Amino acid sequence: KQEVTQIPAALSVPEGENLVLNCSFTDSAIYNLQWFRQDPGKGLTSLLLIQSSQREQTSGRLNASLDKSSGRSTLYIAASQPGDSATYLCASLGMYSGGGADGLTFGKGTHLIIQP
Amino acid sequence: SAVISQKPSRDICQRGTSLTIQCQVDSQVTMMFWYRQQPGQSLTLIATANQGSEATYESGFVIDKFPISRPNLTFSTLTVSNMSPEDSSIYLCSVEVWGAETQYFGPGTRLLVL
């Protein structure tokens, strides 16, 4: 059964810093790896999706990488801003042994606070 | 993309009662899912809501406790039955749109059971 772990559980940094959030997964048989942002009362927002055949994806100040062989993904946030404060979730879309898509398996998240 | 609404947004319930959560999507979608997020924990998939047939439940979740309906391609309900304080969680609905590889999530229903 897939297990997704996120480190650190919480992070507080001053505004303007670059930071890295880490995600590891135990089963490399995945369709894709996704990063979500969770804000209280607003559900989840998809940030980046990396296909299993890709190495990285970029959107604005965000860059996510994927290394299937080592079971790791990182989310890099450049020039952090107070508006980036949220919980960041990593999730893998699994694959049934027969080849069909399975459900999303989430990590517990990294609670990020950007200090003004 | 898809816009998803959930009702209620939050509720406080008494032990032993049941609560039905509604999920409405603004367009027809292929797949609908229900997740639970217990305090301090990750999201856990409860079940896949299938249109016109019984939901598919994940290990550890049963139909008697979490009955699910999906009468059409834009609407689903999740009932939390015979509630106990351990059921206090955020319950989220998500959908998969045809051709998209990500899931879109509703705002969640925050449930507190006393």
Short mmCIF file of all heavy atoms in Angstrom, two decimals, chain B residues 39-104:
data_model
loop_
_atom_site.label_atom_id
_atom_site.label_comp_id
_atom_site.label_asym_id
_atom_site.label_seq_id
_atom_site.Cartn_x
_atom_site.Cartn_y
_atom_site.Cartn_z
N PRO B 39 -8.41 15.34 12.25
CA PRO B 39 -7.49 16.36 12.78
C PRO B 39 -6.04 15.90 12.76
O PRO B 39 -5.72 14.83 13.28
CB PRO B 39 -8.01 16.58 14.21
CG PRO B 39 -9.45 16.23 14.14
CD PRO B 39 -9.55 15.10 13.16
N GLY B 40 -5.18 16.69 12.14
CA GLY B 40 -3.76 16.38 12.10
C GLY B 40 -3.37 15.25 11.17
O GLY B 40 -2.21 14.84 11.16
N GLN B 41 -4.31 14.77 10.39
CA GLN B 41 -4.05 13.62 9.51
C GLN B 41 -4.16 14.01 8.05
O GLN B 41 -4.64 15.10 7.70
CB GLN B 41 -5.04 12.48 9.82
CG GLN B 41 -4.99 11.98 11.25
CD GLN B 41 -3.64 11.43 11.63
OE1 GLN B 41 -3.06 10.63 10.89
NE2 GLN B 41 -3.12 11.87 12.77
N SER B 42 -3.72 13.11 7.19
CA SER B 42 -3.85 13.35 5.75
C SER B 42 -5.26 13.01 5.28
O SER B 42 -6.06 12.43 6.02
CB SER B 42 -2.83 12.51 4.99
OG SER B 42 -3.05 11.14 5.26
N LEU B 43 -5.56 13.41 4.05
CA LEU B 43 -6.84 13.04 3.47
C LEU B 43 -6.85 11.55 3.18
O LEU B 43 -5.89 11.00 2.64
CB LEU B 43 -7.07 13.79 2.15
CG LEU B 43 -7.64 15.19 2.23
CD1 LEU B 43 -6.59 16.18 2.70
CD2 LEU B 43 -8.22 15.62 0.89
N THR B 44 -7.96 10.92 3.50
CA THR B 44 -8.12 9.49 3.25
C THR B 44 -9.36 9.28 2.39
O THR B 44 -10.43 9.78 2.72
CB THR B 44 -8.28 8.72 4.57
OG1 THR B 44 -7.13 8.95 5.39
CG2 THR B 44 -8.42 7.22 4.31
N LEU B 45 -9.20 8.51 1.33
CA LEU B 45 -10.33 8.24 0.44
C LEU B 45 -11.31 7.31 1.13
O LEU B 45 -10.93 6.23 1.58
CB LEU B 45 -9.82 7.62 -0.87
CG LEU B 45 -10.88 7.27 -1.92
CD1 LEU B 45 -11.59 8.53 -2.41
CD2 LEU B 45 -10.24 6.53 -3.09
N ILE B 46 -12.58 7.74 1.19
CA ILE B 46 -13.63 6.90 1.76
C ILE B 46 -14.19 5.98 0.68
O ILE B 46 -14.27 4.76 0.86
CB ILE B 46 -14.77 7.76 2.33
CG1 ILE B 46 -14.27 8.63 3.48
CG2 ILE B 46 -15.94 6.87 2.79
CD1 ILE B 46 -15.29 9.65 3.97
N ALA B 47 -14.60 6.59 -0.44
CA ALA B 47 -15.24 5.79 -1.49
C ALA B 47 -15.33 6.58 -2.77
O ALA B 47 -15.20 7.81 -2.79
CB ALA B 47 -16.65 5.38 -1.06
N THR B 48 -15.53 5.85 -3.85
CA THR B 48 -15.82 6.43 -5.16
C THR B 48 -17.33 6.33 -5.37
O THR B 48 -17.91 5.24 -5.24
CB THR B 48 -15.09 5.66 -6.27
OG1 THR B 48 -13.69 5.71 -6.00
CG2 THR B 48 -15.37 6.28 -7.62
N ALA B 49 -17.96 7.46 -5.67
CA ALA B 49 -19.41 7.48 -5.88
C ALA B 49 -19.69 7.18 -7.34
O ALA B 49 -19.28 7.92 -8.22
CB ALA B 49 -19.97 8.84 -5.49
N ASN B 50 -20.39 6.10 -7.60
CA ASN B 50 -20.67 5.67 -8.96
C ASN B 50 -22.09 6.05 -9.34
O ASN B 50 -23.04 5.81 -8.58
CB ASN B 50 -20.49 4.15 -9.07
CG ASN B 50 -19.08 3.71 -8.71
OD1 ASN B 50 -18.11 4.24 -9.23
ND2 ASN B 50 -18.98 2.75 -7.82
N GLN B 51 -22.25 6.63 -10.51
CA GLN B 51 -23.57 7.06 -10.96
C GLN B 51 -24.43 5.86 -11.32
O GLN B 51 -24.02 5.05 -12.14
CB GLN B 51 -23.44 8.01 -12.15
CG GLN B 51 -24.70 8.77 -12.47
CD GLN B 51 -25.55 8.11 -13.54
OE1 GLN B 51 -25.00 7.49 -14.42
NE2 GLN B 51 -26.85 8.26 -13.46
N GLY B 52 -25.55 5.72 -10.66
CA GLY B 52 -26.49 4.67 -10.96
C GLY B 52 -26.17 3.31 -10.38
O GLY B 52 -26.87 2.34 -10.66
N SER B 53 -25.13 3.22 -9.56
CA SER B 53 -24.82 1.94 -8.93
C SER B 53 -24.20 2.19 -7.56
O SER B 53 -23.95 3.34 -7.17
CB SER B 53 -23.86 1.13 -9.80
OG SER B 53 -22.62 1.79 -9.93
N GLU B 54 -23.93 1.12 -6.83
CA GLU B 54 -23.41 1.25 -5.47
C GLU B 54 -22.00 1.83 -5.48
O GLU B 54 -21.21 1.55 -6.39
CB GLU B 54 -23.41 -0.13 -4.83
CG GLU B 54 -23.26 -0.14 -3.32
CD GLU B 54 -23.52 -1.52 -2.75
OE1 GLU B 54 -24.69 -1.89 -2.62
OE2 GLU B 54 -22.53 -2.21 -2.43
N ALA B 55 -21.69 2.60 -4.45
CA ALA B 55 -20.36 3.19 -4.33
C ALA B 55 -19.31 2.11 -4.08
O ALA B 55 -19.61 1.02 -3.58
CB ALA B 55 -20.34 4.19 -3.20
N THR B 56 -18.08 2.43 -4.43
CA THR B 56 -16.95 1.52 -4.20
C THR B 56 -16.18 2.01 -2.99
O THR B 56 -15.59 3.10 -3.04
CB THR B 56 -16.02 1.49 -5.43
OG1 THR B 56 -16.77 1.12 -6.58
CG2 THR B 56 -14.89 0.48 -5.21
N TYR B 57 -16.16 1.24 -1.92
CA TYR B 57 -15.57 1.67 -0.66
C TYR B 57 -14.13 1.19 -0.51
O TYR B 57 -13.78 0.08 -0.93
CB TYR B 57 -16.41 1.16 0.52
CG TYR B 57 -17.75 1.87 0.62
CD1 TYR B 57 -18.83 1.45 -0.14
CD2 TYR B 57 -17.90 2.98 1.44
CE1 TYR B 57 -20.05 2.12 -0.08
CE2 TYR B 57 -19.10 3.65 1.52
CZ TYR B 57 -20.18 3.21 0.76
OH TYR B 57 -21.37 3.88 0.82
N GLU B 58 -13.32 2.04 0.13
CA GLU B 58 -11.93 1.68 0.43
C GLU B 58 -11.90 0.83 1.70
O GLU B 58 -12.86 0.79 2.48
CB GLU B 58 -11.09 2.94 0.62
CG GLU B 58 -11.00 3.80 -0.63
CD GLU B 58 -10.34 3.08 -1.79
OE1 GLU B 58 -9.20 2.60 -1.63
OE2 GLU B 58 -10.97 2.99 -2.86
N SER B 59 -10.78 0.17 1.88
CA SER B 59 -10.60 -0.67 3.05
C SER B 59 -10.78 0.16 4.31
O SER B 59 -10.22 1.24 4.45
CB SER B 59 -9.19 -1.28 3.03
OG SER B 59 -8.95 -2.02 4.20
N GLY B 60 -11.59 -0.36 5.24
CA GLY B 60 -11.83 0.32 6.49
C GLY B 60 -13.10 1.14 6.51
O GLY B 60 -13.47 1.68 7.57
N PHE B 61 -13.76 1.28 5.39
CA PHE B 61 -15.01 2.05 5.29
C PHE B 61 -16.11 1.14 4.77
O PHE B 61 -15.90 0.36 3.83
CB PHE B 61 -14.83 3.26 4.36
CG PHE B 61 -13.82 4.25 4.84
CD1 PHE B 61 -12.51 4.20 4.38
CD2 PHE B 61 -14.15 5.22 5.77
CE1 PHE B 61 -11.56 5.11 4.82
CE2 PHE B 61 -13.22 6.13 6.22
CZ PHE B 61 -11.92 6.07 5.75
N VAL B 62 -17.31 1.23 5.38
CA VAL B 62 -18.41 0.34 5.00
C VAL B 62 -19.66 1.15 4.70
O VAL B 62 -19.85 2.26 5.22
CB VAL B 62 -18.70 -0.69 6.11
CG1 VAL B 62 -17.51 -1.63 6.28
CG2 VAL B 62 -19.04 -0.01 7.42
N ILE B 63 -20.51 0.55 3.88
CA ILE B 63 -21.71 1.23 3.41
C ILE B 63 -22.68 1.55 4.54
O ILE B 63 -23.35 2.58 4.51
CB ILE B 63 -22.39 0.39 2.31
CG1 ILE B 63 -23.54 1.16 1.66
CG2 ILE B 63 -22.88 -0.94 2.86
CD1 ILE B 63 -24.12 0.48 0.44
N ASP B 64 -22.75 0.71 5.55
CA ASP B 64 -23.70 0.96 6.65
C ASP B 64 -23.34 2.23 7.42
O ASP B 64 -24.21 2.90 7.94
CB ASP B 64 -23.72 -0.23 7.61
CG ASP B 64 -24.39 -1.45 6.99
OD1 ASP B 64 -25.05 -1.28 5.95
OD2 ASP B 64 -24.24 -2.55 7.54
N LYS B 65 -22.05 2.52 7.49
CA LYS B 65 -21.58 3.69 8.23
C LYS B 65 -21.57 4.95 7.35
O LYS B 65 -21.88 6.03 7.81
CB LYS B 65 -20.17 3.43 8.75
CG LYS B 65 -19.52 4.60 9.47
CD LYS B 65 -20.23 4.94 10.77
CE LYS B 65 -19.49 6.06 11.51
NZ LYS B 65 -20.21 6.45 12.74
N PHE B 66 -21.24 4.76 6.08
CA PHE B 66 -21.10 5.89 5.15
C PHE B 66 -21.89 5.63 3.87
O PHE B 66 -21.32 5.50 2.78
CB PHE B 66 -19.63 6.13 4.81
CG PHE B 66 -18.76 6.51 5.97
CD1 PHE B 66 -17.92 5.58 6.57
CD2 PHE B 66 -18.77 7.80 6.46
CE1 PHE B 66 -17.12 5.93 7.64
CE2 PHE B 66 -17.97 8.17 7.53
CZ PHE B 66 -17.14 7.23 8.13
N PRO B 67 -23.22 5.57 3.94
CA PRO B 67 -23.98 5.39 2.70
C PRO B 67 -23.81 6.58 1.76
O PRO B 67 -23.79 7.72 2.20
CB PRO B 67 -25.43 5.23 3.19
CG PRO B 67 -25.44 5.76 4.58
CD PRO B 67 -24.06 5.61 5.14
N ILE B 68 -23.68 6.27 0.48
CA ILE B 68 -23.42 7.28 -0.54
C ILE B 68 -24.44 7.13 -1.65
O ILE B 68 -24.78 6.01 -2.04
CB ILE B 68 -21.99 7.11 -1.11
CG1 ILE B 68 -20.95 7.55 -0.09
CG2 ILE B 68 -21.82 7.88 -2.41
CD1 ILE B 68 -19.51 7.21 -0.48
N SER B 69 -24.91 8.25 -2.14
CA SER B 69 -25.78 8.23 -3.32
C SER B 69 -25.17 9.09 -4.41
O SER B 69 -24.43 10.04 -4.14
CB SER B 69 -27.18 8.75 -2.97
OG SER B 69 -27.18 10.16 -2.88
N ARG B 70 -25.46 8.70 -5.65
CA ARG B 70 -25.07 9.54 -6.79
C ARG B 70 -26.16 9.36 -7.86
O ARG B 70 -25.99 8.55 -8.78
CB ARG B 70 -23.70 9.18 -7.34
CG ARG B 70 -23.27 10.19 -8.40
CD ARG B 70 -21.91 9.94 -8.95
NE ARG B 70 -21.65 10.87 -10.05
CZ ARG B 70 -20.63 10.77 -10.87
NH1 ARG B 70 -19.75 9.79 -10.75
NH2 ARG B 70 -20.46 11.66 -11.84
N PRO B 71 -27.21 10.15 -7.77
CA PRO B 71 -28.34 9.95 -8.68
C PRO B 71 -28.09 10.44 -10.10
O PRO B 71 -28.77 10.01 -11.02
CB PRO B 71 -29.46 10.78 -8.02
CG PRO B 71 -28.74 11.81 -7.21
CD PRO B 71 -27.48 11.16 -6.73
N ASN B 72 -27.12 11.34 -10.27
CA ASN B 72 -26.82 11.84 -11.62
C ASN B 72 -25.34 12.23 -11.70
O ASN B 72 -24.57 11.97 -10.77
CB ASN B 72 -27.74 13.01 -11.98
CG ASN B 72 -27.66 14.13 -10.96
OD1 ASN B 72 -26.57 14.61 -10.64
ND2 ASN B 72 -28.81 14.56 -10.46
N LEU B 73 -24.95 12.87 -12.81
CA LEU B 73 -23.53 13.15 -13.06
C LEU B 73 -23.03 14.43 -12.39
O LEU B 73 -21.87 14.78 -12.54
CB LEU B 73 -23.27 13.23 -14.58
CG LEU B 73 -23.46 11.91 -15.33
CD1 LEU B 73 -23.28 12.12 -16.83
CD2 LEU B 73 -22.47 10.85 -14.85
N THR B 74 -23.89 15.13 -11.67
CA THR B 74 -23.46 16.39 -11.04
C THR B 74 -23.71 16.45 -9.54
O THR B 74 -23.42 17.46 -8.91
CB THR B 74 -24.20 17.59 -11.68
OG1 THR B 74 -25.61 17.46 -11.41
CG2 THR B 74 -23.96 17.65 -13.18
N PHE B 75 -24.23 15.39 -8.94
CA PHE B 75 -24.65 15.47 -7.54
C PHE B 75 -24.36 14.16 -6.82
O PHE B 75 -24.53 13.07 -7.38
CB PHE B 75 -26.15 15.78 -7.47
CG PHE B 75 -26.68 16.00 -6.09
CD1 PHE B 75 -26.46 17.20 -5.42
CD2 PHE B 75 -27.40 15.00 -5.45
CE1 PHE B 75 -26.96 17.40 -4.14
CE2 PHE B 75 -27.90 15.19 -4.17
CZ PHE B 75 -27.69 16.39 -3.52
N SER B 76 -23.94 14.30 -5.54
CA SER B 76 -23.72 13.12 -4.71
C SER B 76 -23.95 13.51 -3.25
O SER B 76 -23.82 14.68 -2.88
CB SER B 76 -22.29 12.59 -4.88
OG SER B 76 -22.04 11.49 -4.02
N THR B 77 -24.32 12.53 -2.45
CA THR B 77 -24.43 12.74 -1.01
C THR B 77 -23.65 11.69 -0.26
O THR B 77 -23.52 10.54 -0.71
CB THR B 77 -25.90 12.71 -0.53
OG1 THR B 77 -26.42 11.39 -0.69
CG2 THR B 77 -26.76 13.72 -1.26
N LEU B 78 -23.12 12.09 0.88
CA LEU B 78 -22.46 11.19 1.82
C LEU B 78 -23.17 11.33 3.15
O LEU B 78 -23.35 12.44 3.64
CB LEU B 78 -20.98 11.55 1.99
CG LEU B 78 -20.24 10.87 3.14
CD1 LEU B 78 -19.96 9.42 2.82
CD2 LEU B 78 -18.94 11.61 3.47
N THR B 79 -23.60 10.23 3.73
CA THR B 79 -24.21 10.25 5.06
C THR B 79 -23.25 9.64 6.06
O THR B 79 -22.67 8.58 5.80
CB THR B 79 -25.54 9.47 5.07
OG1 THR B 79 -26.46 10.09 4.16
CG2 THR B 79 -26.16 9.47 6.46
N VAL B 80 -23.05 10.33 7.17
CA VAL B 80 -22.26 9.79 8.27
C VAL B 80 -23.28 9.31 9.30
O VAL B 80 -24.01 10.14 9.88
CB VAL B 80 -21.31 10.84 8.88
CG1 VAL B 80 -20.40 10.19 9.92
CG2 VAL B 80 -20.47 11.49 7.78
N SER B 81 -23.35 8.00 9.50
CA SER B 81 -24.42 7.41 10.30
C SER B 81 -23.98 7.11 11.72
O SER B 81 -22.80 6.83 11.97
CB SER B 81 -24.89 6.10 9.64
OG SER B 81 -25.33 6.32 8.33
N ASN B 82 -24.93 7.17 12.64
CA ASN B 82 -24.69 6.80 14.04
C ASN B 82 -23.35 7.38 14.52
O ASN B 82 -22.44 6.65 14.91
CB ASN B 82 -24.68 5.28 14.17
CG ASN B 82 -24.63 4.82 15.61
OD1 ASN B 82 -25.03 5.54 16.53
ND2 ASN B 82 -24.11 3.63 15.83
N MET B 83 -23.27 8.69 14.48
CA MET B 83 -22.00 9.37 14.69
C MET B 83 -21.45 9.25 16.11
O MET B 83 -22.21 9.18 17.09
CB MET B 83 -22.14 10.85 14.32
CG MET B 83 -22.27 11.07 12.82
SD MET B 83 -22.33 12.81 12.39
CE MET B 83 -24.00 13.21 12.90
N SER B 84 -20.14 9.23 16.19
CA SER B 84 -19.41 9.26 17.46
C SER B 84 -18.37 10.37 17.36
O SER B 84 -18.09 10.86 16.25
CB SER B 84 -18.73 7.92 17.72
OG SER B 84 -17.72 7.70 16.77
N PRO B 85 -17.79 10.78 18.48
CA PRO B 85 -16.78 11.85 18.44
C PRO B 85 -15.62 11.54 17.48
O PRO B 85 -15.03 12.48 16.92
CB PRO B 85 -16.31 11.93 19.89
CG PRO B 85 -17.51 11.54 20.68
CD PRO B 85 -18.16 10.46 19.87
N GLU B 86 -15.33 10.27 17.25
CA GLU B 86 -14.26 9.90 16.33
C GLU B 86 -14.56 10.27 14.88
O GLU B 86 -13.66 10.26 14.04
CB GLU B 86 -13.98 8.40 16.41
CG GLU B 86 -13.36 7.93 17.74
CD GLU B 86 -14.33 8.00 18.90
OE1 GLU B 86 -15.54 7.74 18.70
OE2 GLU B 86 -13.88 8.32 20.02
N ASP B 87 -15.82 10.56 14.59
CA ASP B 87 -16.20 10.97 13.24
C ASP B 87 -15.97 12.46 13.00
O ASP B 87 -16.18 12.95 11.88
CB ASP B 87 -17.67 10.63 12.98
CG ASP B 87 -17.94 9.14 12.96
OD1 ASP B 87 -17.11 8.40 12.38
OD2 ASP B 87 -18.97 8.70 13.51
N SER B 88 -15.54 13.18 14.01
CA SER B 88 -15.25 14.60 13.86
C SER B 88 -14.09 14.76 12.87
O SER B 88 -12.98 14.30 13.13
CB SER B 88 -14.88 15.23 15.21
OG SER B 88 -15.97 15.13 16.11
N SER B 89 -14.36 15.38 11.75
CA SER B 89 -13.39 15.48 10.66
C SER B 89 -13.86 16.54 9.69
O SER B 89 -14.96 17.08 9.82
CB SER B 89 -13.30 14.16 9.88
OG SER B 89 -12.83 13.10 10.67
N ILE B 90 -13.02 16.77 8.68
CA ILE B 90 -13.46 17.51 7.50
C ILE B 90 -13.75 16.47 6.42
O ILE B 90 -12.93 15.58 6.18
CB ILE B 90 -12.38 18.49 7.01
CG1 ILE B 90 -12.06 19.51 8.10
CG2 ILE B 90 -12.84 19.20 5.74
CD1 ILE B 90 -10.89 20.42 7.75
N TYR B 91 -14.91 16.58 5.81
CA TYR B 91 -15.29 15.67 4.73
C TYR B 91 -15.28 16.46 3.42
O TYR B 91 -15.90 17.51 3.31
CB TYR B 91 -16.67 15.07 5.00
CG TYR B 91 -16.66 14.13 6.18
CD1 TYR B 91 -16.83 14.61 7.48
CD2 TYR B 91 -16.43 12.76 6.01
CE1 TYR B 91 -16.78 13.77 8.58
CE2 TYR B 91 -16.39 11.91 7.11
CZ TYR B 91 -16.56 12.41 8.38
OH TYR B 91 -16.49 11.57 9.46
N LEU B 92 -14.53 15.94 2.45
CA LEU B 92 -14.36 16.64 1.18
C LEU B 92 -14.85 15.80 0.02
O LEU B 92 -14.60 14.59 -0.05
CB LEU B 92 -12.89 17.00 0.94
CG LEU B 92 -12.27 17.97 1.94
CD1 LEU B 92 -11.29 17.25 2.84
CD2 LEU B 92 -11.56 19.10 1.22
N CYS B 93 -15.52 16.46 -0.87
CA CYS B 93 -15.95 15.87 -2.13
C CYS B 93 -14.94 16.29 -3.20
O CYS B 93 -14.46 17.43 -3.19
CB CYS B 93 -17.34 16.39 -2.45
SG CYS B 93 -17.93 16.05 -4.11
N SER B 94 -14.61 15.39 -4.10
CA SER B 94 -13.77 15.77 -5.22
C SER B 94 -14.30 15.14 -6.49
O SER B 94 -15.05 14.16 -6.45
CB SER B 94 -12.32 15.35 -5.00
OG SER B 94 -12.15 13.96 -5.22
N VAL B 95 -13.93 15.72 -7.62
CA VAL B 95 -14.39 15.22 -8.91
C VAL B 95 -13.24 15.13 -9.89
O VAL B 95 -12.24 15.83 -9.76
CB VAL B 95 -15.50 16.12 -9.50
CG1 VAL B 95 -16.65 16.27 -8.54
CG2 VAL B 95 -14.96 17.46 -9.94
N GLU B 96 -13.40 14.24 -10.83
CA GLU B 96 -12.45 14.13 -11.93
C GLU B 96 -13.19 14.46 -13.20
O GLU B 96 -14.21 13.85 -13.51
CB GLU B 96 -11.88 12.71 -11.98
CG GLU B 96 -10.68 12.55 -12.88
CD GLU B 96 -10.08 11.17 -12.73
OE1 GLU B 96 -9.40 10.92 -11.72
OE2 GLU B 96 -10.31 10.33 -13.61
N VAL B 97 -12.67 15.44 -13.91
CA VAL B 97 -13.31 15.88 -15.15
C VAL B 97 -12.71 15.12 -16.31
O VAL B 97 -11.49 14.89 -16.35
CB VAL B 97 -13.12 17.40 -15.33
CG1 VAL B 97 -13.71 17.87 -16.64
CG2 VAL B 97 -13.73 18.15 -14.15
N TRP B 98 -13.54 14.78 -17.26
CA TRP B 98 -13.06 14.02 -18.42
C TRP B 98 -11.91 14.77 -19.10
O TRP B 98 -12.02 15.94 -19.42
CB TRP B 98 -14.20 13.81 -19.42
CG TRP B 98 -13.78 12.96 -20.58
CD1 TRP B 98 -13.42 13.38 -21.82
CD2 TRP B 98 -13.64 11.54 -20.58
NE1 TRP B 98 -13.09 12.31 -22.60
CE2 TRP B 98 -13.20 11.16 -21.88
CE3 TRP B 98 -13.85 10.55 -19.62
CZ2 TRP B 98 -12.98 9.84 -22.22
CZ3 TRP B 98 -13.62 9.22 -19.98
CH2 TRP B 98 -13.19 8.89 -21.27
N GLY B 99 -10.79 14.07 -19.29
CA GLY B 99 -9.64 14.65 -19.96
C GLY B 99 -8.64 15.32 -19.04
O GLY B 99 -7.50 15.57 -19.43
N ALA B 100 -9.05 15.61 -17.81
CA ALA B 100 -8.13 16.21 -16.84
C ALA B 100 -7.55 15.11 -15.97
O ALA B 100 -8.20 14.12 -15.69
CB ALA B 100 -8.86 17.24 -15.99
N GLU B 101 -6.32 15.29 -15.55
CA GLU B 101 -5.66 14.27 -14.75
C GLU B 101 -5.55 14.66 -13.29
O GLU B 101 -4.93 13.94 -12.51
CB GLU B 101 -4.27 13.99 -15.33
CG GLU B 101 -4.36 13.31 -16.68
CD GLU B 101 -3.04 13.35 -17.41
OE1 GLU B 101 -2.39 14.41 -17.42
OE2 GLU B 101 -2.66 12.31 -17.98
N THR B 102 -6.15 15.77 -12.94
CA THR B 102 -6.16 16.15 -11.54
C THR B 102 -7.59 16.10 -11.03
O THR B 102 -8.53 16.04 -11.81
CB THR B 102 -5.58 17.56 -11.35
OG1 THR B 102 -5.45 17.82 -9.94
CG2 THR B 102 -6.48 18.63 -11.96
N GLN B 103 -7.72 16.11 -9.73
CA GLN B 103 -9.04 16.14 -9.13
C GLN B 103 -9.31 17.55 -8.60
O GLN B 103 -8.40 18.24 -8.14
CB GLN B 103 -9.14 15.13 -7.98
CG GLN B 103 -9.10 13.69 -8.45
CD GLN B 103 -9.23 12.70 -7.31
OE1 GLN B 103 -9.64 13.04 -6.19
NE2 GLN B 103 -8.90 11.45 -7.59
N TYR B 104 -10.56 17.97 -8.68
CA TYR B 104 -10.97 19.25 -8.15
C TYR B 104 -11.76 19.00 -6.86
O TYR B 104 -12.60 18.10 -6.82
CB TYR B 104 -11.83 20.01 -9.16
CG TYR B 104 -11.09 20.32 -10.44
CD1 TYR B 104 -11.17 19.46 -11.53
CD2 TYR B 104 -10.28 21.44 -10.54
CE1 TYR B 104 -10.48 19.73 -12.70
CE2 TYR B 104 -9.59 21.72 -11.71
CZ TYR B 104 -9.68 20.85 -12.78
OH TYR B 104 -8.99 21.10 -13.93
#
